[in-house]
Amino acid sequence: MTGHALSDDDKAKVRADFHDAVNMTPAELRRWLDTEDSRSVGMTQDGERVSGPGGKEAVGHHMGHEILALHDLHQDRYGDAEYDTMRKVTGYVHRHMAQRPQGDITDSRWRHSLMNWGHDPSK
């Protein structure tokens, strides 16, 4: 919907869906993004799998910082880019929740990747 004006109702729905998808507080997300586990999962913009904290930044890790920026910005200041980011986060969380692996997810790459996007599936 980039470049397509959203109605006030559409904006409210995007914000509500985003806040439902992002279940980590800004403080929790900030602490998580500072961990080695956070920097060791996901895929880069180039489609490379991240396997350690020393390489390129994963898309999800970058999005975690985008989510924190959204929390710091008052909703009256949201523009098309912010609403696009919120839709992207909501879509990612919904798609990946549908791919939940079997067994204990506590230390899984699946959970860690979702946490980079602001969603802790163990909550």
Side-chain angles (χ1 to χ4, degrees), residues 6 62 64-65 72 76 81 87 99-100 106 119 121:
L6 293 173
H62 175 77
H65 291 288
D72 290 342
D76 291 345
R87 283 193 297 265
Q99 299 171 2
R100 184 184 182 107
T106 304
H119 182 85

Side-chain angles (χ1 to χ4, degrees), residues 32-50:
W32 168 250
L33 292 173
D34 285 341
T35 68
E36 189 170 309
D37 284 340
S38 171
R39 292 185 301 274
S40 298
V41 297
M43 303 293 280
T44 68
Q45 284 288 93
D46 302 330
E48 298 172 31
R49 182 179 171 153
V50 175

Side-chain angles (χ1 to χ4, degrees), residues 87-106:
R87 283 193 297 265
K88 188 180 292 185
V89 169
T90 301
Y92 179 89
V93 169
H94 288 191
R95 282 190 311 279
H96 286 271
M97 284 299 292
Q99 299 171 2
R100 184 184 182 107
Q102 297 292 321
D104 183 13
I105 62 161
T106 304

Side-chain angles (χ1 to χ4, degrees), residues 3-61:
H4 185 271
L6 293 173
S7 70
D8 288 343
D9 287 344
D10 290 338
K11 289 178 181 179
K13 172 95 170 88
V14 170
R15 288 191 307 270
D17 290 347
F18 173 77
H19 290 292
D20 286 344
V22 175
N23 68 354
M24 295 172 73
T25 66
E28 289 170 328
L29 181 55
R30 191 171 285 110
R31 276 192 307 273
W32 168 250
L33 292 173
D34 285 341
T35 68
E36 189 170 309
D37 284 340
S38 171
R39 292 185 301 274
S40 298
V41 297
M43 303 293 280
T44 68
Q45 284 288 93
D46 302 330
E48 298 172 31
R49 182 179 171 153
V50 175
S51 58
K56 294 181 182 176
E57 184 179 37
V59 172
H61 192 267

Side-chain angles (χ1 to χ4, degrees), residues 76-93:
D76 291 345
R77 310 255 342 242
Y78 291 167
D80 290 344
E82 288 76 21
Y83 283 101
D84 287 345
T85 296
M86 285 186 265
R87 283 193 297 265
K88 188 180 292 185
V89 169
T90 301
Y92 179 89
V93 169

